[in-house]
PDB file of all heavy atoms in Angstrom:
ATOM      1  N   VAL A1497      39.498  73.809   3.078  1.00 98.00           N
ATOM      2  CA  VAL A1497      39.767  74.805   4.146  1.00 98.00           C
ATOM      3  C   VAL A1497      40.465  74.051   5.274  1.00 98.00           C
ATOM      4  O   VAL A1497      40.157  72.882   5.552  1.00 98.00           O
ATOM      5  CB  VAL A1497      38.451  75.446   4.625  1.00 98.00           C
ATOM      6  CG1 VAL A1497      37.485  74.410   5.167  1.00 98.00           C
ATOM      7  CG2 VAL A1497      38.728  76.525   5.635  1.00 98.00           C
ATOM      8  N   GLY A1498      41.433  74.685   5.903  1.00 97.00           N
ATOM      9  CA  GLY A1498      42.169  74.039   6.968  1.00 97.00           C
ATOM     10  C   GLY A1498      42.881  75.039   7.871  1.00 97.00           C
ATOM     11  O   GLY A1498      42.982  76.235   7.526  1.00 97.00           O
ATOM     12  N   SER A1499      43.373  74.531   9.000  1.00 97.00           N
ATOM     13  CA  SER A1499      44.072  75.429   9.911  1.00 97.00           C
ATOM     14  C   SER A1499      44.939  74.608  10.833  1.00 97.00           C
ATOM     15  O   SER A1499      44.624  73.458  11.169  1.00 97.00           O
ATOM     16  CB  SER A1499      43.061  76.250  10.723  1.00 97.00           C
ATOM     17  OG  SER A1499      43.733  77.102  11.631  1.00 97.00           O
ATOM     18  N   PHE A1500      46.055  75.222  11.238  1.00 96.00           N
ATOM     19  CA  PHE A1500      46.874  74.674  12.308  1.00 96.00           C
ATOM     20  C   PHE A1500      46.351  75.233  13.627  1.00 96.00           C
ATOM     21  O   PHE A1500      46.527  76.416  13.929  1.00 96.00           O
ATOM     22  CB  PHE A1500      48.340  75.049  12.095  1.00 96.00           C
ATOM     23  CG  PHE A1500      49.034  74.248  11.046  1.00 96.00           C
ATOM     24  CD1 PHE A1500      48.929  74.605   9.696  1.00 96.00           C
ATOM     25  CD2 PHE A1500      49.745  73.095  11.374  1.00 96.00           C
ATOM     26  CE1 PHE A1500      49.551  73.838   8.749  1.00 96.00           C
ATOM     27  CE2 PHE A1500      50.351  72.334  10.420  1.00 96.00           C
ATOM     28  CZ  PHE A1500      50.265  72.690   9.075  1.00 96.00           C
ATOM     29  N   LEU A1501      45.654  74.385  14.365  1.00 95.00           N
ATOM     30  CA  LEU A1501      45.105  74.865  15.639  1.00 95.00           C
ATOM     31  C   LEU A1501      46.206  75.163  16.657  1.00 95.00           C
ATOM     32  O   LEU A1501      46.093  76.018  17.515  1.00 95.00           O
ATOM     33  CB  LEU A1501      44.179  73.776  16.210  1.00 95.00           C
ATOM     34  CG  LEU A1501      43.059  73.265  15.281  1.00 95.00           C
ATOM     35  CD1 LEU A1501      42.253  72.201  15.944  1.00 95.00           C
ATOM     36  CD2 LEU A1501      42.182  74.427  14.855  1.00 95.00           C
ATOM     37  N   ASN A1502      47.297  74.451  16.477  1.00 93.00           N
ATOM     38  CA  ASN A1502      48.479  74.646  17.315  1.00 93.00           C
ATOM     39  C   ASN A1502      49.692  74.529  16.382  1.00 93.00           C
ATOM     40  O   ASN A1502      49.806  73.575  15.619  1.00 93.00           O
ATOM     41  CB  ASN A1502      48.521  73.565  18.418  1.00 93.00           C
ATOM     42  CG  ASN A1502      49.933  73.264  18.887  1.00 93.00           C
ATOM     43  OD1 ASN A1502      50.765  74.144  18.977  1.00 93.00           O
ATOM     44  ND2 ASN A1502      50.167  71.989  19.193  1.00 93.00           N
ATOM     45  N   HIS A1503      50.566  75.495  16.388  1.00 91.00           N
ATOM     46  CA  HIS A1503      51.738  75.513  15.531  1.00 91.00           C
ATOM     47  C   HIS A1503      53.001  75.838  16.333  1.00 91.00           C
ATOM     48  O   HIS A1503      53.850  76.644  15.910  1.00 91.00           O
ATOM     49  CB  HIS A1503      51.556  76.482  14.371  1.00 91.00           C
ATOM     50  CG  HIS A1503      51.024  77.818  14.792  1.00 91.00           C
ATOM     51  ND1 HIS A1503      51.812  78.793  15.310  1.00 91.00           N
ATOM     52  CD2 HIS A1503      49.753  78.301  14.771  1.00 91.00           C
ATOM     53  CE1 HIS A1503      51.059  79.865  15.579  1.00 91.00           C
ATOM     54  NE2 HIS A1503      49.808  79.586  15.270  1.00 91.00           N
ATOM     55  N   ASN A1504      53.132  75.196  17.455  1.00 94.00           N
ATOM     56  CA  ASN A1504      54.285  75.492  18.322  1.00 94.00           C
ATOM     57  C   ASN A1504      55.592  75.092  17.695  1.00 94.00           C
ATOM     58  O   ASN A1504      56.585  75.835  17.834  1.00 94.00           O
ATOM     59  CB  ASN A1504      54.116  74.745  19.667  1.00 94.00           C
ATOM     60  CG  ASN A1504      52.938  75.297  20.456  1.00 94.00           C
ATOM     61  OD1 ASN A1504      52.577  76.469  20.342  1.00 94.00           O
ATOM     62  ND2 ASN A1504      52.310  74.441  21.283  1.00 94.00           N
ATOM     63  N   ALA A1505      55.634  73.995  17.008  1.00 93.00           N
ATOM     64  CA  ALA A1505      56.913  73.530  16.420  1.00 93.00           C
ATOM     65  C   ALA A1505      56.620  72.664  15.223  1.00 93.00           C
ATOM     66  O   ALA A1505      56.017  71.592  15.379  1.00 93.00           O
ATOM     67  CB  ALA A1505      57.737  72.763  17.456  1.00 93.00           C
ATOM     68  N   LEU A1506      57.027  73.104  14.042  1.00 91.00           N
ATOM     69  CA  LEU A1506      56.883  72.309  12.840  1.00 91.00           C
ATOM     70  C   LEU A1506      57.909  72.777  11.820  1.00 91.00           C
ATOM     71  O   LEU A1506      58.294  73.951  11.813  1.00 91.00           O
ATOM     72  CB  LEU A1506      55.486  72.390  12.263  1.00 91.00           C
ATOM     73  CG  LEU A1506      54.953  73.703  11.706  1.00 91.00           C
ATOM     74  CD1 LEU A1506      53.763  73.422  10.772  1.00 91.00           C
ATOM     75  CD2 LEU A1506      54.499  74.662  12.801  1.00 91.00           C
ATOM     76  N   SER A1507      58.324  71.891  10.960  1.00 91.00           N
ATOM     77  CA  SER A1507      59.248  72.198   9.874  1.00 91.00           C
ATOM     78  C   SER A1507      58.459  72.314   8.568  1.00 91.00           C
ATOM     79  O   SER A1507      57.278  71.971   8.509  1.00 91.00           O
ATOM     80  CB  SER A1507      60.329  71.120   9.762  1.00 91.00           C
ATOM     81  OG  SER A1507      61.180  71.150  10.896  1.00 91.00           O
ATOM     82  N   PHE A1508      59.179  72.760   7.542  1.00 91.00           N
ATOM     83  CA  PHE A1508      58.482  73.053   6.303  1.00 91.00           C
ATOM     84  C   PHE A1508      57.744  71.833   5.742  1.00 91.00           C
ATOM     85  O   PHE A1508      56.666  71.980   5.151  1.00 91.00           O
ATOM     86  CB  PHE A1508      59.466  73.587   5.267  1.00 91.00           C
ATOM     87  CG  PHE A1508      58.833  74.091   4.014  1.00 91.00           C
ATOM     88  CD1 PHE A1508      58.267  75.379   3.988  1.00 91.00           C
ATOM     89  CD2 PHE A1508      58.741  73.326   2.885  1.00 91.00           C
ATOM     90  CE1 PHE A1508      57.635  75.843   2.879  1.00 91.00           C
ATOM     91  CE2 PHE A1508      58.125  73.802   1.749  1.00 91.00           C
ATOM     92  CZ  PHE A1508      57.561  75.076   1.735  1.00 91.00           C
ATOM     93  N   MET A1509      58.311  70.652   5.877  1.00 93.00           N
ATOM     94  CA  MET A1509      57.626  69.460   5.335  1.00 93.00           C
ATOM     95  C   MET A1509      56.333  69.133   6.107  1.00 93.00           C
ATOM     96  O   MET A1509      55.511  68.365   5.628  1.00 93.00           O
ATOM     97  CB  MET A1509      58.589  68.270   5.361  1.00 93.00           C
ATOM     98  CG  MET A1509      59.080  67.865   6.726  1.00 93.00           C
ATOM     99  SD  MET A1509      60.388  68.962   7.328  1.00 93.00           S
ATOM    100  CE  MET A1509      61.713  68.557   6.219  1.00 93.00           C
ATOM    101  N   ASP A1510      56.130  69.780   7.266  1.00 95.00           N
ATOM    102  CA  ASP A1510      54.876  69.599   8.007  1.00 95.00           C
ATOM    103  C   ASP A1510      53.791  70.541   7.584  1.00 95.00           C
ATOM    104  O   ASP A1510      52.634  70.416   8.006  1.00 95.00           O
ATOM    105  CB  ASP A1510      55.144  69.787   9.501  1.00 95.00           C
ATOM    106  CG  ASP A1510      56.164  68.810  10.047  1.00 95.00           C
ATOM    107  OD1 ASP A1510      56.060  67.610   9.743  1.00 95.00           O
ATOM    108  OD2 ASP A1510      57.087  69.265  10.780  1.00 95.00           O
ATOM    109  N   TYR A1511      54.142  71.547   6.778  1.00 94.00           N
ATOM    110  CA  TYR A1511      53.132  72.518   6.303  1.00 94.00           C
ATOM    111  C   TYR A1511      52.051  71.795   5.481  1.00 94.00           C
ATOM    112  O   TYR A1511      52.226  70.655   5.070  1.00 94.00           O
ATOM    113  CB  TYR A1511      53.751  73.566   5.407  1.00 94.00           C
ATOM    114  CG  TYR A1511      54.641  74.565   6.123  1.00 94.00           C
ATOM    115  CD1 TYR A1511      55.223  74.349   7.365  1.00 94.00           C
ATOM    116  CD2 TYR A1511      54.915  75.795   5.503  1.00 94.00           C
ATOM    117  CE1 TYR A1511      56.045  75.267   7.976  1.00 94.00           C
ATOM    118  CE2 TYR A1511      55.742  76.756   6.118  1.00 94.00           C
ATOM    119  CZ  TYR A1511      56.305  76.476   7.339  1.00 94.00           C
ATOM    120  OH  TYR A1511      57.120  77.386   7.940  1.00 94.00           O
ATOM    121  N   ASN A1512      50.971  72.476   5.199  1.00 95.00           N
ATOM    122  CA  ASN A1512      50.003  71.993   4.241  1.00 95.00           C
ATOM    123  C   ASN A1512      50.402  72.516   2.861  1.00 95.00           C
ATOM    124  O   ASN A1512      50.484  73.723   2.637  1.00 95.00           O
ATOM    125  CB  ASN A1512      48.591  72.465   4.567  1.00 95.00           C
ATOM    126  CG  ASN A1512      47.549  71.821   3.670  1.00 95.00           C
ATOM    127  OD1 ASN A1512      47.170  70.687   3.874  1.00 95.00           O
ATOM    128  ND2 ASN A1512      47.120  72.538   2.639  1.00 95.00           N
ATOM    129  N   HIS A1513      50.641  71.610   1.919  1.00 95.00           N
ATOM    130  CA  HIS A1513      51.154  71.993   0.624  1.00 95.00           C
ATOM    131  C   HIS A1513      50.080  71.889  -0.441  1.00 95.00           C
ATOM    132  O   HIS A1513      49.053  71.222  -0.257  1.00 95.00           O
ATOM    133  CB  HIS A1513      52.352  71.101   0.231  1.00 95.00           C
ATOM    134  CG  HIS A1513      53.459  71.139   1.251  1.00 95.00           C
ATOM    135  ND1 HIS A1513      54.367  72.178   1.319  1.00 95.00           N
ATOM    136  CD2 HIS A1513      53.782  70.258   2.255  1.00 95.00           C
ATOM    137  CE1 HIS A1513      55.214  71.938   2.305  1.00 95.00           C
ATOM    138  NE2 HIS A1513      54.886  70.804   2.883  1.00 95.00           N
TER     139      HIS A1513
END
Side-chain angles (χ1 to χ4, degrees):
V1497 61
S1499 180
F1500 283 85
L1501 307 179
N1502 152 36
H1503 46 81
N1504 293 332
L1506 66 161
S1507 292
F1508 189 80
M1509 61 283 291
D1510 301 314
Y1511 289 21
N1512 187 80
H1513 303 282

